[in-house]
Structure formats: C-alpha cells, structure tokens
Amino acid sequence: MTATFNSIDPNRIASTKQVYGVACHFANLKAKDPSERYGLNKVFYAVLNNFYDSSKMTHAEATDFFTRKDVPKQFLKSIKTKNPSPYQKVMDKKAKESTASKVKTNSVAKDLDTRITNLESNLTKLLTILEAK
C-alpha cells in the first residue's frame, strides 16, 4: 500500500525538499519581484536550517507552514538587513553623479593625438622649406 501525503506520520522528520518548499513558500509571500524571490528563497532556506539545527522540522510543521499566509515572526527576526545610513545614501548619489559627469580619456589615444599634431607641424615646416626653394 502506498502512503499518501495525509497518511504520513506527523512526527516524521521533514525531508530536505519539504524544507526547501517551505523556504520557497515564504519567499513567495515576501518577494515583490522574481529576482528578490530568488534571493529570499536562499535566505529563508538558510534561516530554516539554522533554526532547526539540532531539532529537525517535522512533517506536521512543514504542512502547517504551507497553509500559512504570512511568515512567522521568529524567522523574520533572524534575517538581518544592511540598511545604509542617510549619509551613505547621499554620498552614493554624489559618487554616481560625479562618475557620470567625468569623461574618461584614453591615455594611449591622447599620446597618439599629440604625436600626430607634432608630425603635422613638422610636415608643414618641411613643405614651407621646399616651396621656398
């Protein structure tokens, strides 16, 4: 007889796929776009593995998490975000503006340009000498 999902013992340790599925579910609940969901999926998977380090997640907990419409606060508290200070935001904005306004010059092209102008001036001197004769 094959076991169905509902007939599995609730105290059975959740499989890795179930833990990953819970992480995906939490990421889907919190993400605003696909790239954010991808990053949050990895974060929630790490948070779940860290939280259930010694005591493993059970099948009953996994099914309970799948039915939830929000992420439990115990997992949200363990996520640390790096919020830049207002000063840092202003400095980053100024740095972007200054690099956008600067025109990068190629040093090799600048050297070639000076050599060409020198050769042209020498050529005009030679032409004036030849025309004088």
Side-chain angles (χ1 to χ4, degrees), residues 72-87:
K73 292 182 181 182
Q74 61 197 12
F75 301 128
L76 291 176
K77 286 181 184 177
S78 60
I79 297 174
K80 293 179 177 69
T81 59
K82 183 179 178 183
N83 293 330
S85 66
Y87 172 76

Side-chain angles (χ1 to χ4, degrees), residues 18-30:
Q18 284 177 308
V19 176
Y20 188 77
V22 171
C24 288
H25 177 66
F26 288 163
N28 285 332
L29 292 175
K30 288 294 181 183

Side-chain angles (χ1 to χ4, degrees), residues 71-108:
V71 180
K73 292 182 181 182
Q74 61 197 12
F75 301 128
L76 291 176
K77 286 181 184 177
S78 60
I79 297 174
K80 293 179 177 69
T81 59
K82 183 179 178 183
N83 293 330
S85 66
Y87 172 76
Q88 187 63 36
K89 288 179 184 178
V90 170
M91 294 306 292
D92 288 343
K93 185 177 179 182
K94 286 183 180 179
K96 286 180 185 177
E97 290 172 355
S98 68
T99 56
S101 65
K102 288 182 184 176
V103 177
K104 294 183 179 179
T105 58
N106 190 346
S107 62
V108 174

